[in-house]
Amino acid sequence: MFVIAQLSDLHVNGTHRNRARIEAALHYVNSRAEGIDALLVTGDLTDHAAPEEMLEAHKLITSPLPTLITIGNHDARPSFNAVFRPEVDPTSPVNVALTVGDVTLLAVDSSLPGERRGFLDDVTVSWLRTELDNADGKVVVAFHHPPVTLGMPMMDSIMQSSPERLGDLVDAHPEIVALVCGHAHSGAVTTFRGRPLCLAPGVSSTLNLPFEGSAVVNRDQPAGVAFHLIDDDGRVITHFRAIPG
Ligand SMILES: [Fe+2]
Ligand SMILES: [Fe+2]
């Protein structure tokens, strides 16, 4: 069984509260690293994309596991690249690949500079197409913004725009066993183009469903982690864990 641990929406902002939640979530994963194959972080590493927040995120996200990180709408390519990938052009989208055994993780940058909604730009679509064409074995595609609505009105208004850009690639590639994302701060499972689409809970906070309260953000829920298990046949089983602070 192949195991991916996924964290999302860390929102490093210099506060002890968020730092403690991130440390607890990473400790939960890292202390079980022997049973896990890869760590995936799907964006909103920071609250405001400030250089000092990105430096703190870089310091906090430490793991013995092979780790793949992409960004969300609260991040920015220049501050991420300056800290995490100083060798690349600062404005490059954060499209990154990791192959472990017969599983390839492709994390693509769904952020749209200056906007809250998501979008896969031409560079990113082209990169993903090439990676999918060259991948052997099972593939998991990760990004920040969900390409479908979730029954969460605020989130649904800032989902991934033009989701057919991703959908056309999914249709053409049956080796994609699952798609995973974040952004909604809500552990959730649905489908996209007939494939499983799993959302990791937010580490920093949870967003309420309409019947859970009038406030959008719920800070009382604990941090969460998703574990995606992939069996030999490519069937994906997602488990969620709450991490008490
Ligand atoms: Fe977020
Ligand atoms: Fe987000």
Side-chain angles (χ1 to χ4, degrees):
M1 195 72 84
F2 190 91
V3 180
I4 302 167
Q6 184 192 1
L7 303 183
S8 200
D9 296 276
L10 284 56
H11 288 268
V12 167
N13 58 4
T15 64
H16 170 75
R17 175 193 180 277
N18 283 14
R19 188 178 310 124
R21 289 168 76 104
I22 296 162
E23 286 174 342
L26 271 166
H27 177 73
Y28 193 89
V29 170
N30 288 343
S31 60
R32 294 160 175 83
E34 282 187 18
I36 302 170
D37 296 286
L39 171 64
L40 175 65
V41 185
T42 46
D44 283 357
L45 313 177
T46 68
D47 238 358
H48 309 99
E52 61 272 20
E53 292 178 344
M54 207 57 85
L55 281 168
E56 186 180 345
H58 186 260
K59 201 168 137 193
L60 285 169
I61 304 171
T62 57
S63 176
L65 292 164
T67 299
L68 199 64
I69 304 171
T70 190
I71 63 172
N73 55 297
H74 280 260
D75 305 310
R77 292 168 184 173
S79 59
F80 177 87
N81 286 329
V83 173
F84 284 85
R85 307 193 302 167
E87 70 281 5
V88 307
D89 181 306
T91 60
S92 297
V94 185
N95 300 320
V96 283
L98 173 69
T99 297
V100 180
D102 73 338
V103 175
T104 295
L105 306 179
L106 302 175
V108 295
D109 186 341
S110 66
S111 74
L112 188 55
E115 298 204 36
R116 298 169 75 200
R117 70 186 169 102
F119 181 72
L120 301 189
D121 66 19
D122 289 346
V123 171
T124 296
V125 168
S126 172
W127 181 90
L128 182 56
R129 180 180 295 113
T130 301
E131 292 291 327
L132 287 167
D133 286 345
N134 293 335
D136 288 324
K138 308 174 188 89
V139 176
V140 173
V141 179
F143 38 84
H144 182 69
H145 294 78
V148 293
T149 58
L150 301 166
M152 304 173 79
M154 192 282 286
M155 256 311 130
D156 294 345
S157 72
I158 54 171
M159 61 177 267
Q160 191 179 133
S161 302
S162 305
E164 69 281 0
R165 293 166 69 83
L166 173 65
D168 290 349
L169 290 174
V170 173
D171 287 347
H173 288 278
E175 69 274 21
I176 299 173
V177 296
L179 303 117
V180 302
C181 62
H183 190 47
H185 294 225
S186 184
V189 177
T190 181
T191 59
F192 179 65
R193 301 288 179 117
R195 247 51 76 82
L197 171 67
C198 306
L199 288 83
V203 171
S204 62
S205 65
T206 299
L207 298 188
N208 280 324
L209 294 163
F211 51 84
E212 288 183 298
S214 54
V216 172
V217 182
N218 179 337
R219 292 189 169 79
D220 296 330
Q221 293 279 316
V225 176
F227 292 112
H228 309 291
L229 281 54
I230 306 174
D231 75 9
D232 291 344
D233 296 328
R235 190 172 61 88
V236 177
I237 311 105
T238 295
H239 298 261
F240 298 108
R241 290 292 179 271
I243 316 294

